[in-house]
Amino acid sequence: MREPAFWYRPRSPTSHLLSPLGALYGAITARRMARPGFDAGIPVICVGNYHVGGAGKTPTVLALTRLLRELGETPVVLSRGYGGRLTGPVMVDRARHSAADIGDEPLMMARDVPVAVARDRLEGVALAKSQGATVILMDDGFQNPRLLKDTSLIVIDSERGLGNGKVFPAGPLRAPLKAQLARTDALVLIGDGRAANDVAAELAKRNKPELRARLKPDAASLAQLFGKKVFAFAGIGDPERFFRTLRAGGIEVARTRPFADHHMFSDDEIAALAADAGREQLTLVTTEKDLARLRGRAGVPDGIVPFAVQLEFDDPAKLRQLISDHLYKARERRFGRR
């Protein structure tokens, strides 16, 4: 879906009219979040967000994958496979699966970490453990009570924040903020913006840490685009953030075209992008997630450059200590019940 503009306006008649629906939806979701979850038997780290749309969960999951391996763990990512037709449980195989099978994010992440796709998260846990997982990294699912989370990290784009702060459909929140704050262990703020400072301050009162991070362009991607004029397109939660990242990396962005999150490109759209780029002698560039949806498609032109980014934390030692402490406490809780 494409986010309505009124979600990010301070006052809107449309939002006001939808507020009763938002209150009802929020009450149901908050009650649901309070249910006890199934204990996976191994630590579960959930990377989620408070709101609908993208904020940087996937780069955060990949950054945690690297950290967990440094700590001697064997992480497996658990995903619902949003946008894919397979219900699972299934381990993602990049040689066999497409984004239409298992979703774009699992396909992209499977290049770096084993990914279990399952609509039923308990079945996904069993599959992940059969692969030798010592830690499960949940990609999204913060509001879903099905599985007990030992640690919940919430990702927010510090430039966009939480919009008007209202619950869907009146605003972007998936549940009332108070109910979500109560289940948050740490906040990951991406970028240098101030739009989420109030949320960070509220969590600080609860002794929950704030972790600052930023998306850094991959050096090889920058080298491929150096000195070229580009036509950037993206179907992610916040395409404008991708376009800003390109410009911040010194890339000359001549044209842009945003699409809705998880957009499945039609043949005509692909042909139009290629024709426009060719006519103006521009290099087509997109995100790795978008390219995952184009992978294996007939008619996709050669030369589309995937612009890779990596999430870097301002204080990696703070993140390392947080994750180490939570892993220890998770195992201590389970050992204490034996």
Side-chain angles (χ1 to χ4, degrees):
M1 65 172 287
R2 195 183 293 275
E3 296 179 347
F6 72 80
W7 280 1
Y8 288 87
R9 293 178 189 147
R11 293 179 183 176
S12 162
T14 305
S15 179
H16 181 71
L17 286 172
L18 291 172
S19 290
L21 279 177
L24 177 62
Y25 180 88
I28 293 170
T29 307
R31 191 178 305 117
R32 187 167 173 258
M33 287 176 67
R35 297 175 190 166
F38 175 80
D39 188 343
I42 59 175
V44 173
I45 299 174
C46 176
V47 178
N49 47 19
Y50 293 147
H51 61 294
V52 176
K57 292 190 303 295
T58 301
T60 304
V61 168
L62 293 175
L64 289 173
T65 294
R66 294 188 292 272
L67 172 58
L68 288 167
R69 284 174 173 161
E70 289 173 8
L71 294 172
E73 303 288 347
T74 303
V76 172
V77 172
L78 177 59
S79 170
R80 287 190 75 251
Y82 181 85
R85 63 178 181 82
L86 298 180
T87 59
V90 61
M91 294 302 298
V92 177
D93 182 347
R94 284 174 57 86
R96 185 165 59 94
H97 293 133
S98 68
D101 295 325
I102 43 79
D104 50 13
E105 291 165 349
L107 187 65
M108 187 187 90
M109 289 189 289
R111 184 188 57 196
D112 300 307
V113 59
V115 180
V117 165
R119 300 290 166 83
D120 185 324
R121 287 184 168 89
L122 300 194
E123 292 182 352
V125 165
L127 179 58
K129 291 174 74 172
S130 77
Q131 302 298 306
T134 63
V135 178
I136 289 174
L137 269 174
M138 280 185 69
D139 178 30
D140 211 358
F142 173 65
Q143 291 80 11
N144 190 297
R146 183 85 163 134
L147 190 59
L148 174 70
K149 293 104 174 162
D150 294 285
T151 310
S152 290
L153 274 63
I154 297 301
V155 184
I156 300 180
D157 182 326
S158 67
E159 298 286 344
R160 302 180 79 210
L162 301 177
N164 61 14
K166 295 186 177 182
V167 177
F168 180 89
L173 292 186
R174 298 181 179 189
L177 186 58
K178 184 177 180 181
Q180 300 196 83
L181 289 170
R183 290 165 175 78
T184 301
D185 293 295
L187 190 65
V188 177
L189 291 179
I190 298 180
D192 297 313
R194 302 173 58 84
N197 283 7
D198 289 348
V199 179
E202 188 61 37
L203 282 169
K205 295 176 185 176
R206 304 165 187 248
N207 296 316
K208 304 298 183 182
E210 164 195 338
L211 301 161
R212 284 273 178 178
R214 58 208 71 249
L215 294 168
K216 296 289 186 181
D218 175 70
S221 295
L222 287 174
Q224 274 187 283
L225 298 171
F226 181 74
K228 298 178 180 178
K229 292 183 180 180
V230 306
F231 182 177
F233 67 98
I236 57 176
D238 183 11
E240 291 300 327
R241 183 181 62 194
F242 170 59
F243 304 148
R244 288 196 304 269
T245 302
L246 285 170
R247 294 187 177 103
I251 306 303
E252 186 176 353
V253 181
R255 286 192 62 179
T256 63
R257 185 171 176 191
F259 293 88
D261 198 12
H262 301 284
H263 180 74
M264 295 303 293
F265 299 95
S266 69
D267 292 343
D268 287 346
E269 287 169 336
I270 294 169
L273 289 167
D276 289 346
R279 187 165 47 250
E280 300 178 35
Q281 296 184 313
L282 304 176
T283 298
L284 281 171
V285 60
T286 192
T287 69
E288 290 188 299
K289 192 169 88 167
D290 285 289
L291 199 63
R293 292 198 300 281
L294 294 171
R295 188 170 173 262
R297 288 273 303 275
V300 176
D302 295 330
I304 298 179
V305 177
F307 191 74
V309 295
Q310 191 172 94
L311 191 68
E312 293 185 1
F313 284 81
D314 291 0
D315 191 346
K318 183 178 179 180
L319 174 67
R320 186 185 183 95
Q321 189 63 56
L322 173 78
I323 296 301
S324 297
D325 288 348
H326 277 262
L327 289 175
Y328 176 80
K329 290 173 183 176
R331 290 179 171 128
E332 185 180 46
R333 282 196 297 270
R334 289 180 173 90
F335 179 78
R337 289 204 300 267
R338 292 178 184 174

